[in-house]
Amino acid sequence: MLYLIATRIFAWPVLLSRSSAAKEVEILILRHEVAILRRQVAAPKPSWPDRALLAFARLLPRALRQHRIVSPRALLAWR
């Protein structure tokens, strides 16, 4: 645990020194990797705590909500 905390603390200055363009490219690459993994893996079956946390997705802007694994229809079905 101490190792993880130390690596996160030392990673912050590196992250802060990067340009916003580099951060945007990294986000695009990570989203593409997630899209590839979603095509390869069966639909996830979230547990109750997972569903409770994912319910906060409605607080995100509409453009980001479209890329979530939980749809509004699924949220209504869980209620």
Side-chain angles (χ1 to χ4, degrees):
M1 183 71 164
L2 184 60
Y3 172 76
L4 291 175
I5 293 170
T7 56
R8 298 292 180 192
I9 290 173
F10 290 122
W12 285 342
V14 174
L15 183 61
L16 292 174
S17 67
R18 291 166 74 192
S19 69
S20 63
K23 293 176 189 176
E24 293 293 328
V25 169
E26 182 180 7
I27 289 171
L28 288 174
I29 291 170
L30 290 172
R31 285 184 181 174
H32 184 69
E33 288 177 353
V34 169
I36 291 170
L37 291 173
R38 284 183 181 164
R39 288 192 300 248
Q40 296 174 357
V41 178
K45 294 184 179 52
S47 64
W48 184 89
D50 294 330
R51 288 184 261 165
L53 184 63
L54 291 172
F56 287 106
R58 63 186 170 89
L59 301 175
L60 294 172
R62 172 168 267 165
L64 292 176
R65 273 187 275 157
Q66 294 173 349
H67 300 288
R68 306 276 47 108
I69 61 173
V70 178
S71 67
R73 192 177 316 156
L75 287 174
L76 291 175
W78 292 339
R79 286 187 177 180

